[in-house]
Amino acid sequence: MATAKQNFYKWHRILGLIALIPVMMWTLSGLSHPFMSNWFRPTIAREIYKSQPLQVKPALSLKQVLDKNKVPGFINFGTITYQEQPYYQVMGMDSTYQYYSANTGDVLANGDRLYATYLARYFTQDSTSKITSITIQKAFDAEYQPINHLLPVWKISFDRPDGMDVYIETGQSRMGTFNNNTRKAMLVVFEQLHTWQFLAAIAGEQFRVVVLLIIVGIMLLSLISGLTVYGLFWKKFKTATENRRRDKRKDTRFVHRFHRQLGLAVSLVMFTFTVSGAFHLYVKLANDKHAAKSGIRQMVKTAQLTTSNLSLPVEDSLVKNVGLVQFNGRTFYQLNSTKKQVRYFDVDNGAVLENGDAMYANYLASYYGAEPEKNVDGKVKTAQIREFTNEYGFINKRLPVQQISYPNGENWYVETTTSQLAAKVAGIDRAEGLSFIFLHKYFGMAWAGKNVRDIASMLAALGILVVSVFGFIGFLKNR
């Protein structure tokens, strides 16, 4: 039996040594996260663009403008106001935007660049600082991470002491994110220490996730072996402590004792961190095996626009934007109102499509992989979501969206105004999401406020860090 105990002790030390550096990286970066996301988070004057209805009714319809410029086909269009004048924002077949005056039909040179700059100054409310660079960004990086979802975006960098960068998606007139110098530095550090993106750069994303899963597994084994050692040796530890106190000897094994006692105290939070982290990685690995379907790419012929976009039976003051969608063999004007209502009008005859947004949402869900034919035992429910929820959280960025709920428990969230899949939540995804936000990010303490929640998570990470360091010091003392 003594040999078995010694083996447990030996393997606990080996596993602890292997996990030491990863634990230090994760706990230190975890300690920095509240500073990055809460206390040191930069502020910006406006985070939402409140577009105003067109003050001047366009003199020309979209078809008239496109015919004038000899544009036979395009992907989609929108309406914007720039310098108090109405413009058609037309996405061509090369997926870039051209801007045409809705009054004259003239092309606005460098229109997308100019509009992105206008939006960046709107969000920052900075009309005086020089702009050092404007670049189109088509991939995520350390400063603009996948959590921001939106691509492509314009990155506009201001010549200011805080080094402000603003990321703009012109197609929906919205901001992806914004960073100052402090946040940029912290993002890079967090990406390398916490998510280990350097592994993806070496051998790809799947390699990164597999390595992280192995390390988290080692951490879990280290925790279990540590608790086992404590259980096997606790009588021996207790006797040694009593003998030392009786003989009034100096406590020479303070580090070892503190490592055991604090380790027992933080074992639960370490268990929740490792299990939720492992679950998160496993689900990510499983989902990455199924390539996401690319977004819908439609082509609209200018000749199809029989009904003028200027003759739709909606008050101009209520129109936020107008676009085009194609489904079920038809083409429709998609009108997004200032009241977040989305209506559909047939381009052939102007007829309204009743319940059009729900119909298009169901079409999109099927396009992206939902299988309604397998849910014949119950009705599919569709509802517009206008604010974030526990299941469809702020991390998803897009609002409003349509939620399509199937009887098998799957929820598909689609942003109909961009024809994009915003999120899919199935059984395992829902369980993983809840475990991650409650066991890893401590959202269960949201009732106490963000500051208290962040302090609690920092104390948990700090406890794990101290236990690991004391364990390493104890190992050195035994050599």
Side-chain angles (χ1 to χ4, degrees):
M1 187 65 178
T3 302
K5 290 182 179 181
Q6 290 170 355
N7 285 336
F8 261 108
Y9 207 4
K10 174 184 175 182
W11 277 108
H12 174 63
R13 285 184 294 175
I14 292 173
L15 293 169
L17 286 172
I18 295 173
L20 177 63
I21 299 301
V23 167
M24 293 181 68
M25 293 172 68
W26 283 330
T27 52
L28 287 172
S29 56
L31 286 169
S32 72
H33 190 268
F35 293 96
M36 177 178 64
S37 63
N38 187 7
W39 298 317
F40 287 173
R41 187 176 186 269
T43 58
I44 198 166
R46 295 178 178 173
E47 294 195 31
I48 303 295
Y49 178 67
K50 294 184 178 180
S51 59
Q52 298 297 319
L54 297 177
Q55 298 300 313
V56 180
K57 186 177 180 66
L60 302 175
S61 70
L62 175 66
K63 187 175 186 302
Q64 289 174 315
V65 168
L66 296 180
D67 284 339
K68 177 180 178 179
N69 288 276
K70 298 184 168 77
V71 179
F74 58 101
I75 294 176
N76 214 329
F77 86 105
T79 54
I80 67 159
T81 298
Y82 177 67
Q83 293 184 339
E84 299 183 354
Q85 293 298 315
Y87 282 86
Y88 291 120
Q89 181 191 55
V90 180
M91 178 181 280
M93 296 310 298
D94 60 354
S95 296
T96 62
Y97 287 108
Q98 292 289 343
Y99 292 69
Y100 302 92
S101 169
N103 288 331
T104 65
D106 294 339
V107 178
L108 177 65
N110 295 316
D112 207 37
R113 183 187 181 100
L114 292 172
Y115 188 54
T117 304
Y118 159 75
L119 289 175
R121 292 195 180 279
Y122 172 90
F123 289 120
T124 58
Q125 290 292 286
D126 184 343
S127 60
T128 58
S129 296
K130 292 182 179 179
I131 292 177
T132 57
S133 69
I134 307 176
T135 56
I136 190 75
Q137 184 155 338
K138 298 182 179 180
F140 298 109
D141 57 22
E143 295 180 4
Y144 188 71
Q145 298 184 353
I147 193 174
N148 295 300
H149 290 283
L150 308 178
L151 280 179
V153 291
W154 284 93
K155 178 182 178 181
I156 294 95
S157 301
F158 286 85
D159 184 12
R160 303 190 338 184
D162 62 358
M164 180 65 77
D165 292 339
V166 183
Y167 296 83
I168 302 295
E169 185 194 43
T170 53
Q172 293 294 310
S173 302
R174 59 187 169 189
M175 178 173 59
T177 192
F178 58 98
N179 299 325
N180 62 5
N181 288 329
T182 302
R183 182 171 168 82
K184 281 184 273 189
M186 296 182 77
L187 280 170
V188 173
V189 171
F190 188 82
E191 183 181 56
Q192 300 307 321
L193 293 185
H194 208 83
T195 63
W196 291 22
Q197 286 300 319
F198 60 88
L199 292 179
I202 294 171
E205 178 65 10
Q206 193 172 74
F207 172 75
R208 180 187 76 89
V209 176
V210 169
V211 170
L212 289 177
L213 262 175
I214 293 172
I215 297 297
V216 171
I218 291 173
M219 288 177 59
L220 185 58
L221 290 175
S222 176
L223 168 63
I224 294 171
S225 62
L227 292 173
T228 305
V229 166
Y230 190 90
L232 292 173
F233 285 86
W234 75 272
K235 286 186 178 180
K236 181 180 177 180
F237 298 146
K238 181 180 179 181
T239 301
T241 300
E242 290 175 349
N243 290 339
R244 176 182 56 79
R245 290 175 177 173
R246 183 191 62 202
D247 300 338
K248 296 182 179 180
R249 286 183 278 108
K250 184 179 179 181
D251 187 2
T252 58
R253 295 183 63 80
F254 164 78
V255 171
H256 301 79
R257 182 166 55 83
F258 191 75
H259 170 71
R260 292 193 301 270
Q261 293 175 346
L262 185 59
L264 188 64
V266 302
S267 59
L268 179 60
V269 296
M270 185 173 177
F271 180 78
T272 61
F273 277 146
T274 53
V275 169
S276 59
F279 194 17
H280 177 73
L281 291 167
Y282 169 77
V283 171
K284 180 173 180 57
L285 187 64
N287 288 341
D288 285 349
K289 292 179 181 178
H290 307 285
K293 196 166 186 178
S294 59
I296 286 181
R297 183 176 175 84
Q298 63 186 23
M299 177 181 174
V300 181
K301 295 180 180 179
T302 303
Q304 290 179 250
L305 306 179
T306 305
T307 299
S308 168
N309 61 290
L310 301 182
S311 64
L312 301 180
V314 180
E315 293 181 28
D316 292 341
S317 61
L318 298 178
V319 177
K320 180 180 179 181
N321 198 11
V322 181
L324 287 165
V325 297
Q326 294 177 328
F327 67 104
N328 296 338
R330 307 291 294 176
T331 302
F332 299 90
Y333 286 113
Q334 182 192 60
L335 190 148
N336 189 11
S337 77
T338 55
K339 297 181 179 180
K340 296 184 180 180
Q341 296 174 334
V342 186
R343 302 177 66 188
Y344 294 73
F345 301 89
D346 197 307
V347 297
D348 285 341
N349 51 35
V352 64
L353 179 66
E354 296 296 338
N355 205 29
D357 206 40
M359 292 176 63
Y360 187 50
N362 278 272
Y363 169 82
L364 289 174
S366 297
Y367 170 83
Y368 284 110
E371 299 177 322
E373 65 277 3
K374 292 186 178 180
N375 289 276
V376 294
D377 295 332
K379 292 183 179 180
V380 176
K381 297 179 180 179
T382 306
Q384 189 185 59
I385 304 298
R386 298 188 180 188
E387 58 185 29
F388 296 112
T389 64
N390 282 340
E391 181 172 283
Y392 184 77
F394 177 76
I395 190 176
N396 293 294
K397 292 289 185 179
R398 302 175 186 274
L399 277 180
V401 294
Q402 287 282 359
Q403 175 187 320
I404 304 94
S405 302
Y406 294 98
N408 65 356
E410 290 183 354
N411 285 339
W412 293 68
Y413 297 88
V414 293
E415 185 181 45
T416 54
T417 52
T418 59
S419 303
Q420 292 291 326
L421 175 65
K424 173 200 169 185
V425 181
I428 192 170
D429 301 306
R430 186 176 293 109
E432 183 277 322
L434 291 174
S435 77
F436 197 75
I437 65 173
F438 285 106
L439 301 182
H440 207 88
K441 303 188 75 174
Y442 283 32
F443 269 52
M445 295 193 65
W447 57 270
K450 188 171 177 60
N451 291 334
V452 174
R453 190 196 80 195
D454 284 344
I455 291 172
S457 64
M458 289 178 69
L459 289 174
L462 183 62
I464 295 172
L465 176 62
V466 172
V467 167
S468 301
V469 171
F470 271 73
F472 181 62
I473 295 173
F475 169 78
L476 294 178
K477 284 181 173 289
N478 285 343
R479 296 185 66 184

